[in-house]
Amino acid sequence: MAFLFHKFQEGVKILAKSPTFARESRLLQFEADINLLFLYTSYNRLGRNAEEADAEEIIDMANKASLDDQQKQVHENVHSQVTNFCSYMDEILLLDQKVKDNQATSPATPHSPPRSSGLGLAVGGNSLAQDRIAVPETKTLHRTEVSQKLKDLMGYTLEVKPSQIPHEDAGKGLFLQGEANIGSVIAFYPGVLYPPAYYRYILGYPRVDPQNSHLITRYDGTMINAQPWGAGGESRELWDWTSSPEPKHTMQADEKGSDLDGTHVGGNLEMLERRNPLAFAHFANHPAKGMVPNVMIYPYDFPLLEKDMRPYIPNVPFGNDEETDTSKFGSFRLKTWKSNNNESKVPVLKTLVLVATRAICDEEVLLNYRLSNSEHIPSWYTPVDEED
């Protein structure tokens, strides 16, 4: 596939050396990423039988289309893949109509979430109404069974096991089992979504990085904390992330933590499928020296009107329902996603997915971390030459 994108990559090299890039590097990095994602996901949508002429047409479109148009097309391409994934998960987990009819004649059993931690009480979680939300029945499959069935249907799944990165801090890594084509959505970054206005509620704020290696920030400033999600679970449940046990490497309860001043925000409960085989992006490692990444991030805005798909999007927002403007970040603005049918804004969940930058087959998933704070860069970190 490399030759199909050579012309565009040469253009990126020229752009990166320009004085404008030095002044607005974050903006142009975002634009360059969208351009690449446009190429990768558009080619993926053509399928494995695409010809070289198809690729050349996509490259030509990438050179002519505006950033706004490319963003819309990337969203459509990614959303199409996510829709297919959710359909596979429904096929794997939902009961057939006969079983549903039998259940409809039986009394519904309300679900009582686990007892909230002190954090949950402080941020206002678990209202009486939420305590009585019924959990829909799904097939009694273990997470490993769900993962294998997804591989059978989609061609690939994910596994977390010891990393092959040769340094002692690598720990666990993320591995793809099967084959995924270039432009495939490989993984979701799970966890709690924090707009900039709520950063102070992250445990350990403002020094959160040394205590939590499972934080990532989108271009618009939305931060995702995957620590509460951990390795997922074995059921579909009303996920109360505030009751998740704290990992050993986080600060102790008597140390100064997040700014919990009694404000009633944060305790949102969502019905999520904890057996999601793709909700492991937080285990992807940075490539070692001499290695290259095989995925890149995409800030995917999931439209909340897609209620049937919602259990498979492994994220919950932190905060109450009041609108927070996260469209402005740094010195530039990001476009909010709009429906194709009209210009009205669609309510979205600001998530993040990993997209394959080449074909991946039975190997470790590697993501360029793009660390920029020189004070906190670990000794094992080697910058990736993105011109390669």
Side-chain angles (χ1 to χ4, degrees):
M1 289 295 296
F3 72 97
L4 298 177
F5 301 100
H6 178 73
K7 183 168 71 173
F8 172 73
Q9 289 171 336
E10 287 299 314
V12 171
K13 291 180 182 180
I14 296 173
L15 182 65
K17 296 176 182 177
S18 72
T20 304
F21 189 86
R23 292 195 304 270
E24 298 286 348
S25 58
R26 189 169 178 83
L27 168 59
L28 292 187
Q29 184 66 71
F30 172 74
E31 292 179 349
D33 282 355
I34 290 297
N35 206 289
L36 281 171
L37 286 161
F38 176 85
L39 293 169
Y40 296 151
T41 61
S42 295
Y43 192 79
N44 178 278
R45 199 164 186 177
L46 291 176
R48 295 182 182 273
N49 296 324
E51 299 178 354
E52 182 176 349
D54 297 322
E56 291 294 341
E57 182 178 357
I58 292 172
I59 293 171
D60 185 59
M61 290 171 60
N63 290 330
K64 296 178 180 178
S66 66
L67 176 64
D68 189 28
D69 288 339
Q70 289 188 45
Q71 282 184 265
K72 291 178 181 178
Q73 188 61 56
V74 172
H75 181 275
E76 289 183 12
N77 295 343
V78 169
H79 186 65
S80 175
Q81 291 191 50
V82 173
T83 301
N84 291 337
F85 162 72
C86 293
S87 296
Y88 290 140
M89 291 295 287
D90 278 346
E91 182 177 341
I92 294 168
L93 288 169
L94 296 190
L95 301 171
D96 58 38
Q97 191 59 46
K98 182 178 179 180
V99 175
K100 289 181 180 179
D101 291 341
N102 290 337
Q103 287 185 342
T105 61
S106 303
T109 302
H111 172 75
S112 295
R115 180 181 177 87
S116 287
S117 63
L119 174 60
L121 295 174
V123 298
N126 292 345
S127 67
L128 292 176
Q130 290 170 324
D131 285 344
R132 304 294 294 177
I133 297 177
V135 178
E137 290 291 331
T138 58
K139 295 178 183 176
T140 55
L141 297 172
H142 291 295
R143 184 173 52 187
T144 53
E145 295 176 287
V146 176
S147 182
Q148 182 58 51
K149 289 180 179 292
L150 180 67
K151 181 183 177 183
D152 294 340
L153 289 171
M154 197 167 68
Y156 63 90
T157 189
L158 298 175
E159 181 183 9
V160 177
K161 59 184 181 180
S163 176
Q164 296 177 346
I165 301 296
H167 64 76
E168 60 182 11
D169 294 329
K172 293 181 179 180
L174 182 63
F175 291 79
L176 184 136
Q177 293 183 335
E179 297 183 33
N181 198 11
I182 187 170
S184 298
V185 173
I186 299 300
F188 296 89
Y189 205 98
V192 186
L193 310 175
Y194 291 85
Y198 293 121
Y199 282 178
R200 67 186 185 276
Y201 293 103
I202 302 175
L203 187 66
Y205 177 86
R207 292 181 53 81
V208 295
D209 291 84
Q211 305 166 55
N212 187 352
S213 60
H214 291 159
L215 286 172
I216 195 168
T217 306
R218 293 179 16 139
Y219 288 103
D220 62 4
T222 300
M223 186 174 292
I224 307 176
N225 179 13
Q227 201 172 68
W229 184 267
E234 290 288 353
S235 65
R236 181 170 302 195
E237 63 186 59
L238 194 63
W239 187 44
D240 179 13
W241 63 269
T242 63
S243 66
S244 301
E246 295 297 338
K248 293 181 180 179
H249 64 272
T250 60
M251 63 168 53
Q252 299 300 312
D254 58 349
E255 295 183 61
K256 183 177 180 181
S258 51
D259 181 18
L260 296 176
D261 57 2
T263 305
H264 289 279
V265 294
N268 294 316
L269 299 178
E270 293 286 351
M271 189 71 64
L272 299 183
E273 181 52 66
R274 297 272 284 153
R275 293 167 290 184
N276 188 333
L278 300 189
F280 295 111
H282 52 306
F283 286 103
N285 273 325
H286 180 80
K289 186 175 182 180
M291 305 173 71
V292 294
N294 50 22
V295 294
M296 64 187 299
I297 63 173
Y298 171 61
Y300 170 54
D301 289 351
F302 171 72
L304 289 169
L305 298 181
E306 303 278 8
K307 296 186 182 300
D308 290 343
M309 297 167 58
R310 180 65 183 93
Y312 306 119
I313 309 302
N315 301 97
V316 294
F318 185 96
N320 52 32
D321 294 331
E322 66 186 32
E323 185 175 353
T324 303
D325 181 15
T326 59
S327 61
K328 182 174 176 56
F329 186 67
S331 58
F332 66 99
R333 289 184 174 273
L334 302 180
K335 298 287 185 179
T336 54
W337 185 74
K338 297 180 179 180
S339 168
N340 288 333
N341 299 325
N342 55 65
E343 288 301 308
S344 62
K345 292 183 180 180
V346 173
V348 298
L349 197 65
K350 293 179 176 291
T351 73
L352 188 146
V353 297
L354 303 185
V355 175
T357 58
R358 61 170 175 81
I360 305 176
C361 179
D362 294 324
E363 59 189 285
E364 186 165 3
V365 176
L366 300 174
L367 172 68
N368 181 7
Y369 283 5
R370 288 177 175 167
L371 300 182
S372 58
N373 189 337
S374 59
E375 295 182 3
H376 300 293
I377 291 180
S379 59
W380 50 259
Y381 180 80
T382 302
V384 173
D385 185 355
E386 299 196 51
E387 294 185 12
D388 290 342

